[in-house]
Structures are given as structure tokens and as C-alpha cells.
Amino acid sequence: MAEYHILFVDDDSNLLMALRRQLRGKFEILTAAGGTSALKMFEEHDTIAVCVADMQMPNMNGLEFLEKIKKISPDTVRIMLTGNADQATAVDAINKGHIFRFFSKPYETADLERALSDGLRQHQLITAEKTLIQETLAGSVKLLTDVMAQLNPTVFGRSMKMKGWCDIIAKELEYPRPWELGIAALLCPIGIVALPPDILARLALGKPLQPLEKDLLRRTPEVGHKLISNIPRLEAVADMVLLQNRNFDGSGFPESGPSGENIPLGARILRIARDLADVGDGPEPTDIDFEVIGGKPHRYDPVLFSKIRTLLAVIDGEQEFPPEGLEMRVRIDNLREGDLLMTDLETMEDHVVLTHGNFISQVQLARIRVFQKAHDFREPVEVKRGVKRKRT
């Protein structure tokens, strides 16, 4: 517990000094004189597990401060001290500040110490569960994406591109759980695992499908929904995947379901991102791409479409390839894990093994080595080496 800090926020310097004396040797204490100073402490320290704030402070009261802390450091456990213990203050603190404990001045030191210990334990529970969930989800998602990359590199490349766009959208729109949207973007085509090998081969080569094959492809979100629903904590992601082709006017797949703003926000975002990925070849959507898909306005939430267009659209000809790194041309034998493909990796028979814009993973590199034994590749290929890959 000693590695985590407890931050006390109060405009009374004498009280802060007294708290330091009372709690010395028992907890790692930080103090700040007022909300503005305390916010700076959060910029300097990433180990603040518990924050104790006074209600009555100038410029920014305790409730306003704790609301800000909930946004910038949601895992920090929040406790309030107040000399004005009226019911309205307590109700607001609980409902708006989402506090863990509420203390009135004067307080018993022993009671405060117990609350601080409970707060530290609560923080441990929150962070331990979060770590476990992240590691479990990361492993499950990696397994599914590796399978998808093996089945159809082109489709996988599009989903990776969508993931990058959705990360930008989630940040700018303050999407409540951005990781869910990112995973949904990665896994939205996972239903293709249920398609017969001959259909997968036709998809990989860009060949037209027969009506029955098109219907099977159309229903892949249903398969994806069933697969993802088996992973704990991904229920919302599964719903987004199921409704990714549901149009804003209520048409599309599935045939029955929500329409308009009753469609989950994530699914409405995927509807736009998927169509953009289908019409555009570059790493970023152009204004022309938006014009093309905008010809079917019944598909999209008009307000959301306008916001995403403002966020993502680049004027054709002004695009820049974002990552830094050393650009080079290499033979297939010299490809390394972590290389960023600048051109498609394809065999002499025009089979695309991996599309440009993808980082080569350990699994993909092993797959390339297997392909080398039976196929000749077009080489050399252009890569960027030493690019810092963003964590998903």
C-alpha cells in the first residue's frame, strides 16, 4: 500500500499540517491547498489512490473538484470532508462526485484512518480487476484477430484501419468506454470465420459472389455476435457487431431491431467507418470518400456523419503517412516482426497475404514463412522499420 499516495485537498493550511502529523508513518501523504493546486498534483503523480477533499473551498468547491477527478483519474477513490453536513450536500456528493466516504468535521482520527485503509483496499480491488479484465480481453481479442488475419488479410487490414479511426472518434466525442469501440472495430468482420473456404478464397481475391454466398456474408454479423458474446465483459461489443449494418432508418441487417438514435452509438459509428473503409484505399478517409458514401443518407445518423466527417476527412492530395521510421525495400527473407508494410504482400499468383498499412506480427511472420515454401512472392516489398506502434 505504501507505493500509493493519499491526497488531502483543503484551503486550511493548518488542517493539512495537522493531518500530516497525525498520519505520518501510516500512509504516504500528499497535500494541496485548493482544487487548482490539487489538479496539478494529478499531472505530477500517477499513484494517487485516494483523494480526500474539503467541501467549502474558494474558486472551486469540493464537489466541483471531485467531479473533475472522476473524469481525469476515475480509479482514484474519492472521500469528502465537510463542516457543512447538510443532507443536500451529502446527496450531491454521492450522486455527482461518486464518493466512497463522507465525513463531517470534526472527525475522529481512528475513523478517518479506517476510511483511508478501506479506500486503499478499494483502489487495489478496482485496479486488480481492471488489470485482469484487460489482460483477459487482450488475449481473447488477439486470438480472434490472429484467426481473422489468417483467413483474410484484406478484411483484417480494413478492420485495423477502422480501429485507428474509431480511436480518434472515441477521444473527440468522449465516448464513454473507448476500448469497447476499438475492439468492436477490430472484430466487426470476425463472423467470416464461419464462411466456407471457397467463399473466403473468392473474397480474398475480390471475386464476385453468387446470391446465396452474398446472403451468407450478409449474416456474418450474427455469427460474430454469438462468438463475442461468449467473452465476459464484451456484451456491448457483441451488440455493436450485430448491428453494424443496421441503417439509421431501420432498414438493413438484422431485419428487425432498433432505428435512429435507439441504435447503439458504437454501431452507428461502425456503420460509417465500415463504408468508408470499403470505398477508400488510403490510411485516412478523404472528403471524396465521404461524398461517395453520403449518397446513401438513409444509412447514417446525419449529426454523427457530419461530426465524423469533420474529424477524419482529409482533402485529397494532402494526406501524409503518419508513422515515423526508416523506409526501406527488403526481400521477403529479411522481413521482421514489427515491420510496417507500405505495399501489399502478395504472391506471384496475385494472392494477397497481408495488405499495406499492417504491422507484421509474430503469427503473421510465421504464416509468411509457411507460404514461402509453396509460393513465390513479388519482391522486394516496401516497409517502414522502427515505427512506434500504438498499443490497442
Side-chain angles (χ1 to χ4, degrees), residues 247-249 258-265 268 301-304:
N247 296 324
F248 195 68
D249 69 352
S259 62
E261 293 185 358
N262 290 323
I263 300 173
L265 176 59
R268 282 180 273 149
D301 177 337
V303 175
L304 187 61

Short mmCIF file of all heavy atoms in Angstrom, two decimals, residues 247-249 258-265 268 301-304:
data_model
loop_
_atom_site.label_atom_id
_atom_site.label_comp_id
_atom_site.label_asym_id
_atom_site.label_seq_id
_atom_site.Cartn_x
_atom_site.Cartn_y
_atom_site.Cartn_z
N ASN A 247 -29.25 0.18 -40.59
CA ASN A 247 -29.30 1.55 -41.07
C ASN A 247 -30.08 2.45 -40.12
O ASN A 247 -30.95 2.00 -39.38
CB ASN A 247 -29.93 1.59 -42.47
CG ASN A 247 -29.09 0.86 -43.49
OD1 ASN A 247 -27.86 0.89 -43.43
ND2 ASN A 247 -29.73 0.20 -44.43
N PHE A 248 -29.78 3.74 -40.19
CA PHE A 248 -30.39 4.71 -39.30
C PHE A 248 -31.91 4.75 -39.48
O PHE A 248 -32.65 5.01 -38.53
CB PHE A 248 -29.79 6.10 -39.55
CG PHE A 248 -30.07 7.10 -38.47
CD1 PHE A 248 -29.51 6.96 -37.20
CD2 PHE A 248 -30.90 8.19 -38.71
CE1 PHE A 248 -29.76 7.88 -36.19
CE2 PHE A 248 -31.16 9.12 -37.71
CZ PHE A 248 -30.59 8.97 -36.45
N ASP A 249 -32.40 4.47 -40.71
CA ASP A 249 -33.84 4.50 -40.96
C ASP A 249 -34.54 3.19 -40.58
O ASP A 249 -35.74 3.04 -40.78
CB ASP A 249 -34.12 4.83 -42.43
CG ASP A 249 -33.71 3.72 -43.39
OD1 ASP A 249 -33.06 2.75 -42.93
OD2 ASP A 249 -34.03 3.82 -44.58
N PRO A 258 -33.62 -1.96 -33.58
CA PRO A 258 -33.78 -0.53 -33.32
C PRO A 258 -33.53 0.31 -34.56
O PRO A 258 -32.96 -0.16 -35.55
CB PRO A 258 -32.70 -0.26 -32.25
CG PRO A 258 -31.65 -1.29 -32.51
CD PRO A 258 -32.40 -2.51 -32.96
N SER A 259 -33.96 1.55 -34.49
CA SER A 259 -33.71 2.50 -35.57
C SER A 259 -33.35 3.84 -34.96
O SER A 259 -33.55 4.07 -33.76
CB SER A 259 -34.94 2.64 -36.48
OG SER A 259 -36.04 3.15 -35.73
N GLY A 260 -32.82 4.74 -35.79
CA GLY A 260 -32.48 6.08 -35.32
C GLY A 260 -31.50 6.06 -34.16
O GLY A 260 -30.58 5.23 -34.10
N GLU A 261 -31.72 6.93 -33.20
CA GLU A 261 -30.81 7.05 -32.06
C GLU A 261 -30.96 5.91 -31.07
O GLU A 261 -30.20 5.84 -30.10
CB GLU A 261 -31.01 8.40 -31.37
CG GLU A 261 -30.58 9.58 -32.24
CD GLU A 261 -30.67 10.90 -31.50
OE1 GLU A 261 -31.08 10.90 -30.32
OE2 GLU A 261 -30.32 11.94 -32.09
N ASN A 262 -31.93 5.02 -31.29
CA ASN A 262 -32.04 3.82 -30.46
C ASN A 262 -31.00 2.77 -30.83
O ASN A 262 -30.77 1.83 -30.07
CB ASN A 262 -33.45 3.22 -30.57
CG ASN A 262 -34.49 4.09 -29.91
OD1 ASN A 262 -34.24 4.69 -28.86
ND2 ASN A 262 -35.66 4.18 -30.52
N ILE A 263 -30.40 2.90 -32.00
CA ILE A 263 -29.26 2.05 -32.36
C ILE A 263 -28.09 2.51 -31.50
O ILE A 263 -27.81 3.71 -31.39
CB ILE A 263 -28.91 2.20 -33.85
CG1 ILE A 263 -30.10 1.80 -34.73
CG2 ILE A 263 -27.70 1.35 -34.21
CD1 ILE A 263 -29.89 2.08 -36.20
N PRO A 264 -27.35 1.59 -30.85
CA PRO A 264 -26.22 1.99 -30.01
C PRO A 264 -25.25 2.90 -30.77
O PRO A 264 -25.01 2.70 -31.97
CB PRO A 264 -25.57 0.66 -29.64
CG PRO A 264 -26.67 -0.35 -29.74
CD PRO A 264 -27.56 0.13 -30.85
N LEU A 265 -24.73 3.89 -30.07
CA LEU A 265 -23.82 4.85 -30.70
C LEU A 265 -22.65 4.15 -31.39
O LEU A 265 -22.26 4.53 -32.50
CB LEU A 265 -23.31 5.84 -29.64
CG LEU A 265 -22.26 6.86 -30.11
CD1 LEU A 265 -22.80 7.71 -31.24
CD2 LEU A 265 -21.80 7.72 -28.94
N ARG A 268 -23.65 2.82 -34.71
CA ARG A 268 -23.82 3.91 -35.70
C ARG A 268 -22.47 4.38 -36.21
O ARG A 268 -22.31 4.73 -37.39
CB ARG A 268 -24.59 5.07 -35.06
CG ARG A 268 -26.09 4.83 -34.96
CD ARG A 268 -26.78 6.01 -34.33
NE ARG A 268 -26.80 5.93 -32.87
CZ ARG A 268 -26.79 6.97 -32.05
NH1 ARG A 268 -26.72 8.20 -32.54
NH2 ARG A 268 -26.85 6.80 -30.75
N ASP A 301 -26.61 8.18 -39.18
CA ASP A 301 -27.05 9.25 -38.29
C ASP A 301 -26.49 10.55 -38.86
O ASP A 301 -25.27 10.73 -38.92
CB ASP A 301 -26.48 8.98 -36.88
CG ASP A 301 -26.81 10.07 -35.88
OD1 ASP A 301 -27.09 11.20 -36.29
OD2 ASP A 301 -26.75 9.78 -34.67
N PRO A 302 -27.32 11.48 -39.31
CA PRO A 302 -26.82 12.67 -40.00
C PRO A 302 -25.92 13.56 -39.14
O PRO A 302 -24.92 14.10 -39.63
CB PRO A 302 -28.09 13.42 -40.42
CG PRO A 302 -29.16 12.90 -39.53
CD PRO A 302 -28.80 11.48 -39.22
N VAL A 303 -26.27 13.70 -37.87
CA VAL A 303 -25.44 14.52 -36.97
C VAL A 303 -24.08 13.86 -36.77
O VAL A 303 -23.02 14.50 -36.83
CB VAL A 303 -26.15 14.74 -35.62
CG1 VAL A 303 -25.24 15.49 -34.65
CG2 VAL A 303 -27.46 15.49 -35.83
N LEU A 304 -24.10 12.56 -36.53
CA LEU A 304 -22.86 11.81 -36.32
C LEU A 304 -22.00 11.81 -37.59
O LEU A 304 -20.77 11.96 -37.52
CB LEU A 304 -23.20 10.38 -35.91
CG LEU A 304 -22.04 9.49 -35.47
CD1 LEU A 304 -21.34 10.07 -34.26
CD2 LEU A 304 -22.54 8.07 -35.18
#
